[in-house]
Amino acid sequence: MATETPVKAPAAKSRASGAPREGAVLNFFSQGFLWLWSLMVIVPVVWIVLSSFKTTREIASAPLALPESLHWQNFANAWTNGHIGAFFLNTLQVMVFSVSGTMLLGAMAAYVLARYQFFGNRVIYFGFAAGMMFPVFLALFPLFKTLGNVGLLNTYTGLIIVYIAYSLPFTVFFLTAFFRTLPTGVAEAAIVDGAGHYRLFFQVMLPMAKPGLIAITIFNIIGQWNQFLLPLVLMGRNPDDAVISQGLANLAMRQGYEGDSGALFAGTVLAMIPIFVAYVLFQRQIQEGLTAGAIK
């Protein structure tokens, strides 16, 4: 007598139908988290922008309401009375050299670590990686004493050197991984054509690494532009030499006594505009730089 084989299709079907349901639940929570995170970032920024167009009376009486009229005088007060314009120039003066030095030294170190094998290669690489985990608070007093001993305390030169050293670990770590993804065939062809090490680096490898260089440059600009603790400790003597982060802190302290909160919010908006514009202009290059390694 023949026996029937149990049919297992319904069980398989139920398992198959359960997978999309689990994916939908995971997708719901992930999208909900992203929406929550977006609101936590966007709402304070919108509130600061709206408050920059209010008078001090409006900010105190109705901090969450829309401005009754656009009070543009706040931006003029922040730029002139709050000396935001001078702080902008001081910050640009520092960052032109600090970002350029960081990118040049970081790209050269990352290229050598990624493309050449030598004794101690991994030790140096992990040394840079460990530098990202070193708290800057532990280095404040040694930096203060060292710059004071060599006569670079309260100088832009000393601050530029510290900015470069502060930004190099992440720059080398990021660019080393990027240089490893670049094709070796182009470099080998350039060597066959007679290109030396310097020509190979500057004329062949750097143009190929342009997406990664742009991405890490924007990250360094943002990090150094928003840096507050290092200039506070190393440039705290002369208020006229303050960078933008120090200037905003001084403006907040001064406006607390003068009662011009609108100028404080306007100064904060002025400080955010360059970073926002830089990210909008180079958004595509940043995304290409961050994903190029995974795609290749």
Side-chain angles (χ1 to χ4, degrees), residues 99-114:
V99 175
S100 301
T102 300
M103 294 308 302
L104 177 61
L105 297 177
M108 295 174 66
Y111 169 72
V112 172
L113 291 175

Side-chain angles (χ1 to χ4, degrees), residues 110-132:
Y111 169 72
V112 172
L113 291 175
R115 313 293 293 196
Y116 295 91
Q117 297 297 326
F118 56 90
F119 179 77
N121 180 297
R122 304 303 294 172
V123 175
I124 298 175
Y125 172 75
F126 286 116
F128 279 109
M132 297 188 298

Side-chain angles (χ1 to χ4, degrees), residues 35 37 50 59 91 132 146 168 194 202-203 272 278:
W35 275 103
W37 182 263
L50 293 178
I59 295 174
T91 308
M132 297 188 298
T146 301
L168 269 180
F202 286 104
Q203 296 186 5
M272 292 189 301

Side-chain angles (χ1 to χ4, degrees), residues 116-287:
Y116 295 91
Q117 297 297 326
F118 56 90
F119 179 77
N121 180 297
R122 304 303 294 172
V123 175
I124 298 175
Y125 172 75
F126 286 116
F128 279 109
M132 297 188 298
M133 299 178 285
F134 187 81
V136 68
F137 299 96
L138 299 180
L140 290 179
F141 182 73
L143 285 174
F144 184 87
K145 295 295 293 183
T146 301
L147 293 182
N149 292 336
V150 298
L152 294 178
L153 190 64
N154 297 306
T155 64
Y156 289 145
T157 303
L159 187 62
I160 289 170
I161 294 174
V162 172
Y163 272 3
I164 293 175
Y166 173 79
S167 304
L168 269 180
F170 177 71
T171 303
V172 173
F173 179 80
F174 181 92
L175 290 180
T176 299
F178 191 87
F179 275 118
R180 287 173 179 168
T181 65
L182 299 180
T184 59
V186 178
E188 293 174 353
I191 294 175
V192 171
D193 291 339
H197 293 291
Y198 294 99
R199 184 180 177 186
L200 175 64
F201 174 70
F202 286 104
Q203 296 186 5
V204 179
M205 303 306 294
L206 279 188
M208 294 174 59
K210 182 179 177 180
L213 293 174
I214 293 177
I216 196 62
T217 298
I218 298 300
F219 281 120
N220 282 327
I221 290 175
I222 294 175
Q224 295 181 15
W225 183 273
N226 294 329
Q227 182 58 240
F228 175 73
L229 191 59
L230 289 175
L232 178 66
V233 174
L234 305 178
M235 294 287 296
R237 177 175 297 178
N238 190 358
D240 295 334
D241 295 333
V243 296
I244 190 66
S245 56
Q246 289 177 278
L248 287 177
N250 296 336
L251 181 62
M253 185 180 301
R254 186 164 58 250
Q255 298 309 328
Y257 294 105
E258 297 178 1
D260 191 1
S261 301
L264 174 60
F265 284 104
T268 305
V269 172
L270 290 174
M272 292 189 301
I273 288 177
I275 301 300
F276 178 77
V277 172
Y279 183 81
V280 170
L281 292 179
F282 297 101
Q283 180 181 7
R284 182 174 58 84
Q285 288 84 350
I286 293 175
Q287 293 176 351

